[in-house]
Amino acid sequence: MQYDHIVVRYGELTLKGKNRKIFTTKLGENVREKLKGFSNIKVNKNRDRMFILLNGEDPEPILEKLKDVFGIGSMSVALKTENDEAAIKNAALELLTKKENVKTFKITTKRSNKEFPIGSQTFNHVLGGYLLSNTNDFTVDVHHPDLEIHVDIRNDATYITSEKILGAGGLPVGSSGKTLLLLSGGIDSPVAGYLTMNRGVQLEAIHFHSPPYTSERAKEKVLDLAEKLTYYGKNIRIHMIPFTALQQKIHREVPHGYSMTVMRRVMLKISEAVAKEENILSITTGESLGQVASQTMESMHAINEVTNYPVLRPLVAMDKEDIIKISEKINMYDISIRPYEDCCTVFVPKAPKTKPRLEKVLQFEAHLDYEQEIKELLANKEVIETSSLRKKSKEFDDLL
Amino acid sequence: MIYFDNSATTKPDPNVLDSFIKVTQDFYGNPSSMHDLGKNAETLLRKAREQIANLLSVSNDEIIFTSGGTEGNNLAIKGIALQHQARGKHIITTQVEHPSVLLACEALEELGFQVTYLPVDNYGRISIEELENSITNETILVSVMYVNNEIGTIQPIEEIAAITNKYPKLFFHVDAVQAYGKIPINLNIDGIDFSTLSGHKIHGLKGTGLLYIKNGTILFPLLHGGGQEMKVRSGTENVAGIVALAKAMRIQLDHLNEDQKSLVEMKSELLRAIEKIDGTVVNTPTENAAPHIINFSIPRLKPEVVIHALEEHGIYISTKSACASKSPDKSSVLVACQKNDEVSRSGLRISLAYSNTLEEIKYFNQKLALVVNQLRKGIR
C-alpha cells in the first residue's frame, strides 16, 4: 500500500464565477510556497481540484501544513493500487481497519477504465462484501456512513480515498488585496490580523513605540507576533513608528480626559498616511465594542472621524473569551501575554473619557499643531520585514 | 577507549558543548535584567523552553528547569508532600527507585508521612493490582520510574496513569531520567502529573535537567528566592546549560527516531555473547526493557575485579548503580527482584549510547570471555 497523492478541494472560492481562476492561481502559489521544503512533491491543479503528487513523501506533515492554508475546503489522501481486484480489496481493508471511530461504511466505485472486468455497481457489492466478511465490527450504511470509501478505477491505476480532512476555509491570502494592521502587542490585534487573512487579505503592520518609555522587549514581542502571523500567509512588513515626541506633546497639551482620544486619532491619521504611501486600501484594528474606554461607541465615533479610509474591525462584535480562544488556537496567546508595556499603556490618563464628545475633541486639537511631528516620524520610521527577523533568530536557533 | 557506562553519565555531545560555550561567552546576561544583554538571554531561554515543550508535546509553562534528576525527583516528591499534606500523608513508590526518590521518601517518613514501597517481580516490575490495592484515602502521590537505571526494566507507566487518573487527589510522578531518548515516551497523557529528566544522561551537561509539571499543579518550592521558573524554582537561570539541554534533547530524540534499531542490535549481540559464557545470569528482562541497559551477574566473581580487569583492555562498565544503598555489597534492585545472594552480589551493568558501535561490542565480547576465563582460574 502506498499513498500516491493528496486531493485538495477548494473552499468558498468555488462559488466564484468567472473570477475563479484568480483565486485558484493564488491558492496554487500559496500552497507551493507552504510546501517548499518537500522537494519530491508536485502540485497540479485544475478548475475543481488540486492534486499534490507525493512521489514517496509522507503525507502527514504535508497535511499538517496545509491545514492552515486559507482557501482550502477539505483534503483527502489517496491510495494507489494496481487495477487488480485482490490488490484493491487489500488496500480498502487496510484503509478501513486503520481508521478510528468508524462503525459504518459505504463504497462508491467509479470505473472509467472499462477494461476492468467488474462493473462499478457490482464492484460496490463485491468490495463491500469482502470488507464485511473480513472484519467483525463494521456494517454498511449507504445513507449516513462514518466512512465513505471512494474507489476510482482509471486506466493507469486505481485510486482509493476515504475521509475528508477539514481545511482552514476562507479565501487564499493575497486574493483580496492588502490591509494595514494596527499591531499593538496585545491579544486582540493579532487575532484581527488572522481573521482578515482568512478573507484573503495580505497584511502589512504598523506599530507605535515610545522608547525609552517602552522597552526593546515590547518591540520584540510585536515582531514575534508578526512573525507568527506569517505562518498563515506571507511575509509581513512592519512599520515601526517612533511615537515618543508626539505622545509627549499630546500628553502635555491636551486635557488628560481627552488625551487618549486625541492620541488614537493621531495614530489613525498616521496609519492612513502610511497606507496611502504604500497603496494599501484599508486599515484593520483589533477593536471590540465596549472593551475599553477607546472602544466605546462614542470613542469610535470621535476617533474614526479623522479618516475616510475603511477601518476593518473583525472583532467588533466578539466577546473577549472567544478572542482568547482564537489567540490560543493560532499560538499567539503566549506571546501576547508577555508583560511589557506598550505605548498605549504608558501615557494612559487615570480617567480617560469613555464618552468623548467630537466637538470637544476638535476644539482641543485646534490648538495642537502636530503636522510637523507627523512628517518627522514618518521620515524616521523603521520598516522591518519578517523575513529579516528569521535571519536574526537563526543565530539563536543554531544554538539549539 | 570503549565507554559502556552511559547510564552513569554520558560524554557531552561536541555540538552541545559548542552551544554551551557560546552562550556562556556571548549571552551571559541575567534573563531578568532589563537591558539588551538580559533580553537576549531571556529570548534564548524562552526559545529553549519552547523547543523542549515541543519535543515533549507539552506546554511551555509546564517545564521547570532544575539542576538534574536528583533535584527533579526531590522537587516533585517533597513539593507535593509539603503542599498537599492536608489531603493525606501517604505516598506510594517502589523498592527499585533511584536513591533520590527512595531517600526523599524516607526523609518524609521522618516528618510523619507513611510510605509504601511496592515490591517487584523477578523482572523488576511492579504489579498493577498491588499498586491499586495500596491506594488509600490518605494517598496523595505515586512515584514510579519509567526505566530502571540498573536493569533497564520498563514499568507499565500508562497502565499506572490509567489508575492514578481515577483518583482525583492523587498525583503521579514519573522518573524518566533513563527513558528519555531511549524509548518513546508520552508524558502528555491523563494521569501523569510530573516527570523528571536529566541532561547529563543524554550527552548534555551535569547540573541540567527539568521537571515537567502538568498545568495548574502547585508544588511547595525547595528553593525560595527571586521567583524564577514560575516561582517553583528560584535562582538565576542556567541559560547556557538550559540551551545545551534543549540541544541534547533534540539530538537524542533524532537518534531515537532513526537509530533505535542499532541499540537493539548491539544489545542482542551482547546478550548472545554473555549467555555463551558458562554460569552467567542475565538480570535484564527479555521483554519490556530499555534497549541500552544490560545487567548480568557472573556468580562468584567479584564485580569490582571484573571491572578493573576490563579496564585494562580500555573498557568501562559498572556494577550496581553508582549511588550506594543499605547493604553495601549487594544491589538492592537485584535483591528486590528476589535474585539470590550470589547473583545480587555480582551484578554488572553495561549501558550503551547511540555513539557505540557493533565493532566495540564485538571487541568487548571477546575481552569479556577472556577476562572471565582468566579470573576463574584464580578462584577455587
Side-chain angles (χ1 to χ4, degrees):
Chain A
M1 190 170 91
Q2 175 209 351
Y3 287 114
D4 183 67
H5 62 267
I6 298 171
V7 186
V8 174
R9 298 174 200 84
Y10 304 144
E12 189 185 316
L13 54 102
T14 50
L15 300 176
K16 308 287 171 197
K18 289 183 184 145
N19 295 329
R20 184 197 283 211
K21 191 136 194 268
I22 300 170
F23 290 93
T24 57
T25 305
K26 207 61 180 174
L27 183 61
E29 274 174 29
N30 294 354
V31 165
R32 284 193 185 97
E33 173 70 25
K34 192 79 174 175
L35 302 180
K36 237 176 8 194
F38 302 92
S39 49
N40 293 327
I41 60 155
K42 202 164 176 308
V43 180
N44 291 336
K45 64 180 177 54
N46 61 32
R47 220 184 115 73
D48 305 300
R49 294 251 196 292
M50 194 181 297
F51 299 94
I52 295 164
L53 306 180
L54 293 168
N55 294 324
E57 295 267 10
D58 179 7
E60 282 305 319
I62 295 177
L63 289 169
E64 203 48 49
K65 292 220 150 180
L66 290 181
K67 270 183 194 166
D68 294 307
V69 175
F70 291 125
I72 293 179
S74 69
M75 301 166 281
S76 300
V77 182
L79 281 176
K80 184 181 187 177
T81 72
E82 288 165 42
N83 287 339
D84 168 65
E85 190 182 330
I88 296 171
K89 280 175 171 171
N90 276 337
L93 181 64
E94 197 170 336
L95 200 142
L96 177 67
T97 49
K98 267 194 179 166
K99 293 282 182 276
E100 282 170 18
N101 302 323
V102 171
K103 292 209 157 57
T104 59
F105 70 90
K106 171 191 178 179
I107 311 277
T108 314
T109 305
K110 228 166 82 182
R111 184 187 59 139
S112 50
N113 177 358
K114 301 299 177 198
E115 279 173 25
F116 191 77
I118 309 169
S120 54
Q121 281 304 320
T122 319
F123 196 67
N124 285 344
H125 294 130
V126 171
L127 184 55
Y130 174 82
L131 294 180
L132 286 175
S133 61
N134 283 283
T135 55
N136 293 322
D137 309 323
F138 299 100
T139 52
V140 169
D141 181 343
V142 291
H143 299 295
H144 305 288
D146 297 331
L147 188 73
E148 192 168 347
I149 301 175
H150 297 266
V151 180
D152 191 0
I153 305 168
R154 292 198 229 151
N155 286 336
D156 60 328
T158 295
Y159 298 91
I160 307 172
T161 58
S162 62
E163 67 177 334
K164 282 186 184 175
I165 299 152
L166 221 55
L171 300 173
V173 172
S175 64
S176 314
K178 245 189 203 179
T179 196
L180 184 68
L181 173 71
L182 272 76
L183 191 59
S184 68
I187 294 167
D188 300 338
S189 50
V191 174
Y194 170 78
L195 291 178
T196 43
M197 284 164 112
N198 178 273
R199 297 309 299 162
V201 179
Q202 195 179 323
L203 298 182
E204 287 207 12
I206 182 167
H207 177 74
F208 296 84
H209 68 142
S210 300
Y213 298 99
T214 61
S215 68
E216 272 296 298
R217 280 177 164 88
K219 181 178 165 188
E220 187 184 71
K221 174 182 174 185
V222 168
L223 297 178
D224 285 354
L225 286 169
E227 151 87 291
K228 269 267 179 332
L229 276 170
T230 60
Y231 183 75
Y232 302 95
K234 299 173 182 303
N235 255 330
I236 295 172
R237 300 174 73 216
I238 304 130
H239 303 264
M240 302 292 294
I241 307 292
F243 203 33
T244 318
L246 188 46
Q247 223 183 345
Q248 282 172 323
K249 185 168 186 173
I250 294 169
H251 189 66
R252 218 167 37 231
E253 296 184 14
V254 177
H256 281 182
Y258 274 85
S259 64
M260 182 271 296
T261 313
V262 171
M263 184 187 81
R264 295 279 168 171
R265 281 168 60 89
V266 172
M267 288 165 83
L268 202 52
K269 217 178 161 78
I270 295 168
S271 302
E272 188 199 74
V274 170
K276 273 190 182 144
E277 217 172 80
E278 303 290 333
N279 289 321
I280 298 170
L281 300 183
S282 71
I283 292 166
T284 298
T285 76
E287 288 166 298
S288 169
L289 193 56
Q291 206 189 88
V292 288
S294 65
Q295 297 173 19
T296 62
M297 192 72 86
E298 288 79 1
S299 281
M300 280 191 194
H301 178 79
I303 294 165
N304 210 142
E305 193 265 350
V306 82
T307 179
N308 270 328
Y309 251 60
V311 178
L312 310 181
R313 298 181 174 89
L315 311 184
V316 74
M318 281 176 79
D319 288 354
K320 190 76 180 183
E321 260 174 61
D322 297 324
I323 298 171
I324 289 176
K325 266 184 212 148
I326 299 179
S327 173
E328 283 173 335
K329 189 187 89 180
I330 61 177
N331 297 320
M332 302 284 170
Y333 188 72
D334 283 350
I335 304 175
S336 287
I337 59 171
R338 285 186 213 156
Y340 313 125
E341 286 205 289
D342 62 32
C343 74
C344 300
T345 52
V346 281
F347 285 105
V348 77
K350 279 201 192 81
K353 281 262 180 280
T354 54
K355 296 184 175 177
R357 281 163 48 205
L358 182 58
E359 63 274 17
K360 282 210 145 182
V361 174
L362 295 176
Q363 188 191 321
F364 294 133
E365 261 183 45
H367 305 287
L368 186 74
D369 176 21
Y370 48 67
E371 294 305 324
Q372 186 52 35
E373 275 90 351
I374 290 188
K375 245 182 231 152
E376 264 171 36
L377 59 79
L378 284 177
N380 292 329
K381 78 176 158 82
E382 183 189 5
V383 181
I384 301 172
E385 306 241 3
T386 47
S387 54
S388 72
L389 297 176
R390 245 161 278 148
K391 272 173 227 146
K392 251 191 216 163
S393 73
K394 200 176 168 293
E395 189 192 358
F396 284 168
D397 292 343
D398 287 347
L399 290 167
L400 295 161
Chain B
M1 185 187 81
I2 296 179
Y3 186 73
F4 282 167
D5 197 11
N6 290 286
S7 287
T9 192
T10 55
K11 183 178 176 184
D13 184 302
N15 294 309
V16 169
L17 209 51
D18 278 352
S19 287
F20 181 82
I21 292 167
K22 186 149 199 315
V23 176
T24 305
Q25 282 175 343
D26 299 348
F27 302 102
Y28 52 84
N30 185 327
S32 300
S33 292
M34 303 288 289
H35 46 67
D36 231 41
L37 268 182
K39 192 194 77 173
N40 281 337
E42 189 201 22
T43 304
L44 256 178
L45 179 64
R46 189 177 61 239
K47 283 186 170 241
R49 196 186 303 278
E50 279 169 7
Q51 175 167 318
I52 288 171
N54 220 345
L55 292 172
L56 296 175
S57 304
V58 302
S59 309
N60 300 344
D61 55 4
E62 295 179 317
I63 303 290
I64 297 294
F65 292 114
T66 65
S67 64
T70 293
E71 185 187 336
N73 285 337
N74 271 271
L75 176 56
I77 292 167
K78 293 178 185 164
I80 279 298
L82 297 178
Q83 185 68 36
H84 298 289
Q85 50 187 323
R87 297 180 185 180
K89 288 186 133 190
H90 179 230
I91 293 168
I92 300 173
T93 185
T94 82
Q95 291 177 1
V96 294
E97 297 299 304
H98 187 266
S100 58
V101 169
L102 291 175
L103 293 170
C105 287
E106 283 176 24
L108 287 169
E109 282 183 281
E110 284 173 29
L111 294 181
F113 285 82
Q114 272 196 318
V115 182
T116 302
Y117 300 91
L118 293 173
V120 295
D121 62 16
N122 291 158
Y123 305 108
R125 207 163 285 122
I126 61 160
S127 134
I128 293 288
E129 288 88 62
E130 215 161 347
L131 167 77
E132 189 154 22
N133 291 338
S134 309
I135 298 174
T136 70
N137 270 338
E138 286 282 301
T139 314
I140 52 171
L141 176 69
V142 172
S143 183
V144 179
M145 68 201 328
Y146 217 128
V147 167
N148 185 272
N149 53 319
E150 275 190 46
I151 61 175
T153 308
I154 300 175
Q155 298 288 3
I157 294 300
E158 292 191 12
E159 288 171 56
I160 300 171
I163 293 192
T164 54
N165 196 36
K166 289 194 288 188
Y167 299 84
K169 72 172 186 181
L170 189 54
F171 293 104
F172 180 27
H173 166 245
V174 180
D175 170 3
V177 167
Q178 292 291 349
Y180 180 84
K182 299 303 193 309
I183 59 171
I185 60 173
N186 184 5
L187 302 179
N188 193 2
I189 59 173
D190 289 342
I192 296 184
D193 300 289
F194 311 101
S195 189
T196 297
L197 298 185
S198 164
H200 78 101
K201 308 284 190 190
I202 54 168
H203 307 276
L205 294 155
K206 284 144 194 94
T208 65
L210 66 86
L211 180 65
Y212 158 71
I213 303 185
K214 180 162 280 180
N215 233 347
T217 313
I218 301 168
L219 286 179
F220 192 86
L222 299 182
L223 302 175
H224 292 88
Q228 291 89 345
E229 296 300 294
M230 286 152 266
K231 297 190 178 133
V232 180
R233 204 269 187 187
S234 288
T236 300
E237 299 90 340
N238 174 6
V239 179
I242 289 165
V243 167
L245 175 66
K247 193 169 209 174
M249 285 177 70
R250 177 175 64 72
I251 294 172
Q252 189 75 359
L253 210 60
D254 285 348
H255 280 307
L256 174 65
N257 292 331
E258 284 156 28
D259 313 328
Q260 203 204 15
K261 251 205 228 138
S262 77
L263 277 187
V264 174
E265 224 172 280
M266 286 190 277
K267 180 178 169 183
S268 51
E269 191 65 34
L270 274 170
L271 284 173
R272 222 184 356 245
I274 291 165
E275 278 162 351
K276 252 198 233 158
I277 299 173
D278 239 15
T280 51
V281 179
V282 173
N283 302 314
T284 296
T286 43
E287 275 171 30
N288 293 320
H292 66 301
I293 296 177
I294 300 99
N295 189 303
F296 64 104
S297 298
I298 313 174
R300 307 214 303 133
L301 281 191
K302 271 195 164 180
E304 314 67 294
V305 178
V306 179
I307 284 171
H308 293 314
L310 286 170
E311 208 177 334
E312 284 180 15
H313 296 282
I315 297 167
Y316 295 81
I317 68 167
S318 61
T319 60
K320 61 187 178 179
S321 158
C323 321
S325 60
K326 287 169 207 157
S327 104
D329 65 330
K330 280 188 266 180
S331 150
S332 59
V333 172
L334 293 179
V335 171
C337 296
Q338 299 116 52
K339 306 287 180 189
N340 68 39
D341 285 1
E342 201 41 60
V343 169
S344 306
R345 250 197 292 271
S346 56
L348 291 162
R349 180 184 70 181
I350 300 166
S351 44
L352 304 173
Y354 290 106
S355 50
N356 289 128
T357 63
L358 262 181
E359 283 66 50
E360 290 178 329
I361 302 285
K362 282 173 186 154
Y363 179 82
F364 168 85
N365 287 342
Q366 210 188 341
K367 295 301 173 200
L368 178 70
L370 184 78
V371 161
V372 171
N373 211 356
Q374 283 172 344
L375 292 179
R376 274 185 176 157
K377 281 180 192 156
I379 50 174
R380 267 162 287 165

